[in-house]
């Protein structure tokens, strides 16, 4: 189809009352999980090697040719209920050519169709690359787990395999902060995600303040789960994680949207501390809980191979390919027949909960059958 300039038709503003990435919305609308979100991996290159990277094992220093853009656009056009797209890597902005020839056309398509878009970037590339996205992009999602340049240096290059000087890391850190402030000033929604892990769980209030200082309008908070580079890192207990969330809520800016995602706490828990935390999260101003989209209403497409995954993580094998099937059909096959999905395909409408994802279930609840449980309090 033709690619047009940004539509003048207004679309609903993203806010704590409207998060189209959350699968509970489409579940309630259609009575079942349907594919509303497609994530695309547009590169396996990255200038960093963060110790917690969920796709670290798939990063390369060279990569082959991407499939023709028309292939993915045709498949996106077939998705009946598409509401959002996400672009990820590697670092999607690593190559100027990827930005111009792949990312901008995808964002133009999204804007033309009236769907929302997000890019996952470390925000350390030249500003000119990000500037091209201003007319089209809805959310610039960045990872931010630092209180200073030393943190950035230690975390961001832990798996480089070679020495990276502090001076070089500091320059990238400063570029990230400057780009965030400038893009936010130019009207882009910056959503900074912090992981709750062994490094950050006692630093979250300080990280939150920095995120506000750099112009971000949303702070996302997600636990770190054992995948790829993070698979050998220390794991927080549920008690430590709950304490970190309470501490953050005690010190946060109540005017900033705070989005918690993939939390390992559920309304069907019999533990009072879990119920207390969930009550607080539901009652706090500008705080939302997002159900994990992966496998519920979202798939990931590798734009080099055409393989379709339930997440962009390397842990779960591909279960389809855009060369041989429509995305809606591949998703339906996953939902109805794939044995991994059958482990966690529960939901509780009253609690607004779609249950644990596979990583949460395996890490914290390996012997729990969530499909036999129900919310205790709401």
């Amino acid at each position: 189809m033709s690619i047009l300039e940004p539509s003048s038709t207004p679309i609903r503003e993203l806010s704590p009352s409207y998060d189209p990435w959350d699968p509970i919305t489409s579940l309630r609308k259609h009575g079942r999980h349907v594919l509303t979100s497609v994530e695309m991996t547009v590169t396996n290159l990255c200038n960093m090697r963060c110790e917690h990277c969920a796709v670290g094992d798939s990063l390369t220093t060279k990569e082959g040719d991407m499939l023709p853009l028309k292939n993915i656009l045709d498949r996106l056009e077939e998705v009946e209920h598409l509401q959002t797209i996400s672009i990820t890597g590697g670092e999607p902005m690593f190559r100027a050519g990827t930005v111009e020839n792949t990312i901008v056309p995808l964002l133009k398509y999204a804007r033309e169709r009236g769907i929302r878009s997000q890019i996952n970037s470390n925000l350390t590339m030249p500003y000119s690359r990000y500037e091209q996205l201003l007319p089209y992009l809805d959310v610039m999602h960045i990872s931010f787990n630092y209180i200073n340049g030393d943190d950035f240096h230690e975390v961001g290059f832990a798996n480089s395999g070679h020495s990276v000087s502090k001076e070089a890391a500091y320059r990238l850190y400063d570029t990230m902060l400057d780009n965030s402030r400038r893009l936010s000033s130019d009207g882009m929604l910056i959503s900074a995600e912090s992981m709750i892990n062994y490094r950050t769980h006692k630093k979250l209030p300080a990280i939150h303040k920095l995120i506000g200082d750099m112009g971000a309008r949303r702070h996302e908070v997600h636990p770190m789960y054992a995948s790829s580079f993070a698979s050998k890192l220390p794991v927080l207990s549920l008690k430590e994680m709950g304490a970190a969330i309470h501490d953050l809520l005690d010190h946060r800016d109540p005017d900033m949207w705070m989005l918690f995602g993939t939390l390992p706490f559920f309304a069907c828990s019999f533990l009072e501390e879990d119920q207390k935390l969930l009550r607080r999260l539901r009652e706090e101003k500008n705080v939302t809980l997002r159900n994990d989209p992966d496998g519920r209403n979202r798939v990931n497409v590798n734009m080099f191979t055409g393989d379709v995954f339930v997440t962009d993580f390397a842990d779960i094998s591909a279960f389809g390919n855009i060369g041989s099937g429509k995305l809606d059909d591949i998703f339906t096959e996953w939902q109805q027949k794939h044995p991994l999905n059958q482990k966690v395909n529960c939901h509780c409408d009253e609690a607004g909960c779609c249950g644990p994802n596979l990583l949460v279930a395996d890490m914290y609840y390996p012997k729990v059958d969530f499909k036999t449980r129900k919310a205790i309090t709401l």
Side-chain angles (χ1 to χ4, degrees), residues 309-336:
F309 298 84
V310 68
T311 78
D312 60 352
F313 304 157
D315 301 54
I316 302 171
S317 299
F319 57 92
N321 190 285
I322 62 169
S324 56
K326 295 181 178 181
L327 286 169
D328 275 344
D329 293 341
I330 295 171
F331 180 79
T332 299
E333 184 82 6
W334 157 261
Q335 278 288 317
Q336 296 181 356

Side-chain angles (χ1 to χ4, degrees), residues 169-184:
Y170 291 170
R171 285 194 295 271
L172 289 177
Y173 181 73
D174 289 340
T175 297
M176 174 178 57
L177 298 181
D178 291 343
N179 280 341
S180 179
R181 295 186 186 105
R182 188 173 176 185
L183 287 167
S184 180

Side-chain angles (χ1 to χ4, degrees), residues 258-275:
M258 179 159 284
L259 187 159
F260 289 89
T262 328
L263 292 185
F265 304 103
F266 303 97
C268 56
S269 171
F270 60 86
L271 297 176
E272 174 54 31
E273 56 262 38
D274 290 2
Q275 296 294 341

